[in-house]
Amino acid sequence: MTRAERLLVLIQKLRCYRYPVTAAVLAESLGVSKRTLYRDIAQLQHQGARIEGSAGVGYMLREGFILPPLMFSSDEIEALVLGLQWVAQNADEMLGQAAVDVQAKVRAVLPERMAEVLDLPALKLGPSEHQVTSCHLSALRDAIRHQFVVELAYHDQQGRSSSRRIWPMAIAFFDASRVLVAWCELRQDFRHFRTDRIDSLCVHEERYPRHRQTLLHTWKAQMGITD
């Protein structure tokens, strides 16, 4: 294992702890001496990692540190590129462009020895068997982000139309459809709306009263979903 790879593993291990972990435990898990571990901690702190603690007490990684792309492994870059390809092809225009921009930013900071993994990826995304409309996705994503109430004109599978005021929480991307998860004020319960059946929508600058995270936890429990 190279030092760069070891630093990557060390950061990942620190992220798993919500309390200070001693240098002895970290050093043993990495198969290095405590002296080497102290040097690695110092190097990560120099690179901007918010690692707090000291020898004999333990170390803890605070939130906010973004791992430099130069520390990505080849497998991680391939996973990143494949995921970005999928988003560029299957999301709305704004999110697709964001995926293209992310790839360009990663490419700009990668060392040349790793750039080929991104420039000439071994993994390619094939064409989809389903053409799924991305209409309304950008507006819905914005409403979810800000926890805004949305009013929908919607038709069901039988073509019956209805008007709903909803609290949007998440969008599920299936192969043949995109499904909005929301709390429906009319039904006073969670409902799922296929985005291709939304005829029109209006995003109100009115925040719904319950926190989105709380709603999602309740929805997952109701659906029997475990993470």
XYZ file of all heavy atoms in Angstrom, residues 140 144 147-152 163-171 179-193 207-212 214-220 222:
414
model
N -38.940 20.275 -9.329
C -39.210 19.425 -8.176
C -37.978 19.285 -7.288
O -38.092 19.294 -6.052
C -39.685 18.045 -8.642
C -41.081 17.993 -9.248
C -41.345 16.631 -9.887
C -42.151 18.303 -8.190
N -37.833 20.301 -3.355
C -37.372 19.368 -2.321
C -36.250 20.001 -1.507
O -36.232 19.929 -0.276
C -36.902 18.046 -2.961
C -38.097 17.280 -3.538
C -36.163 17.184 -1.947
C -37.707 16.098 -4.400
N -37.782 22.620 0.673
C -38.955 22.159 1.423
C -40.169 23.048 1.158
O -40.892 23.455 2.070
C -38.645 22.069 2.920
C -37.560 21.067 3.265
C -37.308 20.916 4.753
O -36.344 20.287 5.159
N -38.162 21.467 5.591
N -40.395 23.325 -0.135
C -41.526 24.151 -0.543
C -42.747 23.288 -0.846
O -42.624 22.166 -1.350
C -41.191 24.963 -1.791
C -40.283 26.146 -1.542
C -39.505 26.662 -2.571
C -40.212 26.748 -0.299
C -38.680 27.753 -2.354
C -39.387 27.847 -0.076
C -38.619 28.352 -1.110
N -43.922 23.841 -0.580
C -45.176 23.204 -0.957
C -45.341 23.290 -2.477
O -45.010 24.304 -3.095
C -46.368 23.897 -0.261
C -47.694 23.361 -0.795
C -46.279 23.719 1.250
N -45.840 22.211 -3.076
C -46.046 22.164 -4.527
C -47.510 21.812 -4.806
O -48.083 20.939 -4.145
C -45.127 21.119 -5.194
C -45.470 20.973 -6.681
C -43.669 21.512 -5.025
N -48.086 22.488 -5.782
C -49.442 22.175 -6.224
C -49.361 21.516 -7.594
O -48.744 22.054 -8.521
C -50.285 23.443 -6.293
C -51.773 23.162 -6.432
C -52.627 24.369 -6.108
O -52.068 25.377 -5.621
O -53.840 24.291 -6.343
N -49.965 20.340 -7.720
C -49.883 19.546 -8.947
C -51.229 19.453 -9.646
O -52.275 19.330 -8.996
C -49.431 18.113 -8.647
C -48.096 17.841 -7.985
C -47.946 16.331 -7.802
C -46.943 18.394 -8.815
N -56.219 17.613 -8.594
C -55.321 18.673 -8.149
C -54.866 18.345 -6.731
O -55.704 18.014 -5.881
C -56.019 20.031 -8.198
O -55.159 21.048 -7.744
N -53.566 18.410 -6.488
C -53.037 18.035 -5.176
C -52.067 19.099 -4.663
O -51.269 19.642 -5.429
C -52.275 16.702 -5.258
C -53.024 15.547 -5.886
C -54.118 15.001 -4.993
N -54.736 13.822 -5.577
C -54.375 12.573 -5.289
N -53.388 12.360 -4.425
N -54.977 11.556 -5.865
N -52.122 19.358 -3.358
C -51.082 20.114 -2.673
C -50.224 19.104 -1.928
O -50.743 18.324 -1.111
C -51.681 21.131 -1.694
C -51.918 22.515 -2.273
C -52.591 23.417 -1.252
N -51.815 23.538 -0.023
C -50.969 24.559 0.235
N -50.794 25.516 -0.667
N -50.312 24.621 1.385
N -48.939 19.117 -2.210
C -48.061 18.088 -1.658
C -46.828 18.702 -1.015
O -46.470 19.854 -1.266
C -47.624 17.090 -2.747
C -46.808 17.812 -3.823
C -48.820 16.358 -3.342
C -46.100 16.881 -4.775
N -46.172 17.869 -0.193
C -44.887 18.227 0.400
C -43.845 17.272 -0.199
O -43.733 16.123 0.225
C -44.922 18.061 1.911
C -46.037 18.800 2.599
C -46.864 19.754 2.069
C -46.449 18.627 3.956
N -47.758 20.200 3.004
C -47.523 19.526 4.179
C -46.008 17.822 5.003
C -48.164 19.619 5.409
C -46.639 17.913 6.234
C -47.707 18.808 6.437
N -43.110 17.683 -1.215
C -42.182 16.775 -1.894
C -40.969 16.431 -1.031
O -40.398 17.295 -0.384
C -41.769 17.580 -3.132
C -41.887 19.003 -2.702
C -43.067 19.043 -1.761
N -40.597 15.151 -1.032
C -39.513 14.684 -0.165
C -38.358 14.063 -0.923
O -37.207 14.191 -0.524
C -40.062 13.643 0.834
C -41.222 14.146 1.647
S -41.976 12.886 2.706
C -41.530 11.365 1.964
N -38.640 13.359 -2.017
C -37.576 12.648 -2.733
C -38.078 12.249 -4.117
O -39.293 12.177 -4.351
C -37.128 11.406 -1.957
N -37.144 11.978 -5.008
C -37.463 11.469 -6.341
C -36.725 10.153 -6.532
O -35.497 10.092 -6.373
C -37.069 12.458 -7.452
C -37.802 13.784 -7.279
C -37.369 11.862 -8.830
C -37.342 14.866 -8.241
N -40.342 8.670 -9.987
C -41.464 8.703 -9.048
C -41.161 9.692 -7.926
O -40.124 9.594 -7.252
C -41.743 7.303 -8.469
C -42.856 7.370 -7.425
C -42.113 6.328 -9.588
N -42.084 10.635 -7.740
C -41.971 11.618 -6.680
C -42.614 11.075 -5.407
O -43.753 10.621 -5.417
C -42.676 12.910 -7.105
C -42.784 14.020 -6.059
C -41.415 14.583 -5.719
C -43.718 15.118 -6.551
N -41.867 11.110 -4.314
C -42.381 10.708 -3.001
C -42.787 11.982 -2.269
O -41.997 12.925 -2.160
C -41.316 9.958 -2.188
C -41.886 9.533 -0.833
C -40.803 8.748 -2.962
N -44.011 12.027 -1.776
C -44.506 13.257 -1.154
C -45.596 12.953 -0.142
O -46.233 11.899 -0.174
C -45.048 14.198 -2.228
N -45.812 13.933 0.747
C -46.971 13.903 1.630
C -48.092 14.648 0.927
O -47.907 15.769 0.467
C -46.649 14.571 2.959
C -47.831 14.701 3.865
C -48.674 15.770 3.982
C -48.313 13.726 4.795
N -49.654 15.524 4.913
C -49.461 14.278 5.433
C -47.895 12.446 5.141
C -50.171 13.575 6.401
C -48.609 11.751 6.107
C -49.730 12.309 6.728
N -49.250 14.025 0.828
C -50.389 14.618 0.134
C -51.354 15.214 1.159
O -51.855 14.500 2.041
C -51.098 13.561 -0.700
S -52.577 14.158 -1.550
N -51.595 16.522 1.058
C -52.505 17.168 1.999
C -53.934 16.656 1.832
O -54.680 16.539 2.811
C -52.469 18.689 1.801
C -51.145 19.331 2.219
C -51.197 20.844 2.147
O -52.239 21.397 1.721
O -50.189 21.483 2.508
N -54.340 16.328 0.605
C -55.693 15.833 0.360
C -55.920 14.487 1.045
O -56.943 14.274 1.696
C -55.943 15.716 -1.144
C -57.285 15.127 -1.570
C -58.423 16.058 -1.157
C -57.312 14.882 -3.092
N -54.971 13.572 0.886
C -55.116 12.222 1.442
C -54.612 12.109 2.867
O -54.838 11.086 3.522
C -54.374 11.211 0.557
C -54.828 11.177 -0.884
C -56.297 10.874 -1.017
N -56.698 10.760 -2.426
C -57.950 10.707 -2.824
N -58.928 10.766 -1.938
N -58.238 10.618 -4.122
N -53.863 13.128 3.336
C -53.263 13.090 4.666
C -52.434 11.824 4.856
O -52.526 11.132 5.891
C -54.339 13.213 5.752
C -54.908 14.612 5.898
C -53.859 15.617 6.370
O -53.354 15.521 7.484
N -53.507 16.559 5.490
N -51.645 11.556 3.841
C -50.807 10.356 3.869
C -49.736 10.516 2.792
O -49.788 11.422 1.959
C -51.655 9.112 3.588
C -50.972 7.845 4.092
O -49.817 7.930 4.575
O -51.584 6.771 3.987
N -48.770 9.611 2.803
C -47.734 9.605 1.778
C -48.310 9.076 0.467
O -49.117 8.142 0.455
C -46.552 8.737 2.210
C -45.859 9.253 3.449
C -46.003 8.596 4.662
C -45.076 10.392 3.391
C -45.374 9.065 5.803
C -44.438 10.880 4.523
C -44.588 10.207 5.730
N -47.891 9.660 -0.620
C -48.302 9.223 -1.941
C -47.112 9.268 -2.892
O -46.133 9.975 -2.663
C -49.431 10.107 -2.486
C -50.785 9.882 -1.817
C -51.324 8.501 -2.142
N -52.671 8.275 -1.634
C -52.935 7.735 -0.461
N -51.944 7.386 0.352
N -54.190 7.540 -0.090
N -47.225 8.483 -3.975
C -46.181 8.419 -4.991
C -46.772 8.889 -6.325
O -47.820 8.408 -6.732
C -45.637 6.991 -5.116
C -45.167 6.432 -3.806
N -45.726 5.316 -3.220
C -44.204 6.859 -2.955
C -45.122 5.062 -2.077
N -44.188 5.985 -1.887
N -46.085 9.808 -6.965
C -46.576 10.401 -8.213
C -45.543 10.198 -9.322
O -44.391 10.631 -9.183
C -46.828 11.906 -8.039
C -47.805 12.248 -6.950
C -47.358 12.503 -5.659
C -49.168 12.320 -7.211
C -48.253 12.825 -4.648
C -50.076 12.638 -6.210
C -49.613 12.889 -4.925
N -42.873 27.085 2.956
C -42.239 25.873 3.477
C -43.269 25.017 4.207
O -44.091 25.535 4.973
C -41.091 26.238 4.419
C -39.902 26.861 3.714
C -38.870 27.334 4.713
N -38.329 26.236 5.491
C -37.262 25.517 5.150
N -36.622 25.787 4.017
N -36.818 24.544 5.913
N -43.233 23.728 3.940
C -44.173 22.872 4.661
C -43.728 22.703 6.114
O -42.548 22.844 6.444
C -44.401 21.543 3.953
C -43.200 20.772 3.459
C -42.409 20.036 4.333
C -42.892 20.716 2.095
C -41.345 19.273 3.872
C -41.829 19.960 1.624
C -41.056 19.247 2.514
O -40.003 18.500 2.063
N -44.676 22.428 7.015
C -44.423 22.555 8.453
C -43.546 21.480 9.081
O -42.951 21.718 10.126
C -45.832 22.512 9.061
C -46.657 21.757 8.064
C -46.094 22.141 6.729
N -43.455 20.321 8.483
C -42.642 19.247 9.074
C -41.321 19.140 8.335
O -41.251 19.369 7.124
C -43.398 17.915 9.009
C -44.653 17.893 9.869
C -45.432 16.610 9.674
N -44.676 15.445 10.098
C -45.062 14.186 9.875
N -46.217 13.946 9.246
N -44.334 13.169 10.284
N -40.266 18.784 9.060
C -38.949 18.698 8.447
C -38.882 17.501 7.504
O -39.410 16.428 7.792
C -37.865 18.576 9.528
C -36.490 18.879 9.022
N -35.732 17.960 8.337
C -35.756 20.015 9.072
C -34.577 18.507 8.009
N -34.566 19.758 8.441
N -38.221 17.697 6.368
C -38.159 16.643 5.350
C -37.527 15.365 5.892
O -37.966 14.257 5.567
C -37.359 17.133 4.135
C -37.407 16.186 2.948
C -36.679 16.778 1.752
N -35.243 16.728 1.913
C -34.476 15.699 1.495
N -35.036 14.654 0.896
N -33.182 15.706 1.660
N -37.588 14.186 8.902
C -38.572 13.500 9.741
C -39.603 12.775 8.880
O -39.971 11.627 9.156
C -39.280 14.508 10.661
O -38.307 15.180 11.464
C -40.291 13.808 11.563
N -40.062 13.448 7.832
C -41.018 12.823 6.919
C -40.428 11.576 6.268
O -41.092 10.544 6.146
C -41.439 13.820 5.845
C -42.369 14.958 6.281
C -42.472 16.001 5.173
C -43.753 14.415 6.645
N -39.179 11.679 5.839
C -38.538 10.533 5.182
C -38.401 9.354 6.132
O -38.615 8.199 5.743
C -37.171 10.937 4.631
C -37.161 11.641 3.278
C -35.763 12.154 2.937
C -37.653 10.704 2.168
N -38.021 9.612 7.376
C -37.905 8.527 8.355
C -39.255 7.845 8.559
O -39.344 6.611 8.624
C -37.388 9.076 9.691
C -35.922 9.348 9.713
N -34.982 8.482 9.191
C -35.215 10.414 10.200
C -33.768 8.981 9.345
N -33.883 10.157 9.948
N -40.324 8.647 8.642
C -41.664 8.081 8.819
C -42.080 7.280 7.591
O -42.661 6.184 7.714
C -42.679 9.208 9.086
O -42.236 10.000 10.184
C -44.056 8.636 9.395
N -41.807 7.821 6.408
C -42.151 7.117 5.175
C -41.407 5.788 5.069
O -41.992 4.762 4.717
C -41.820 8.011 3.975
C -41.932 7.333 2.651
C -43.071 7.002 1.980
C -40.843 6.884 1.822
N -42.768 6.385 0.783
C -41.408 6.294 0.666
C -39.464 6.937 1.939
C -40.619 5.762 -0.357
C -38.672 6.397 0.933
C -39.265 5.826 -0.197
N -40.099 5.789 5.387
C -39.322 4.548 5.326
C -39.870 3.514 6.282
O -39.961 2.316 5.944
C -37.852 4.846 5.650
C -37.099 5.562 4.556
C -35.639 5.788 4.958
C -34.866 6.468 3.860
N -33.453 6.689 4.247
N -42.927 3.272 7.361
C -44.217 2.821 6.840
C -44.044 1.855 5.677
O -44.802 0.895 5.519
C -45.028 4.036 6.384
C -46.425 3.705 5.889
C -47.243 4.955 5.639
O -47.404 5.805 6.499
N -47.759 5.107 4.414
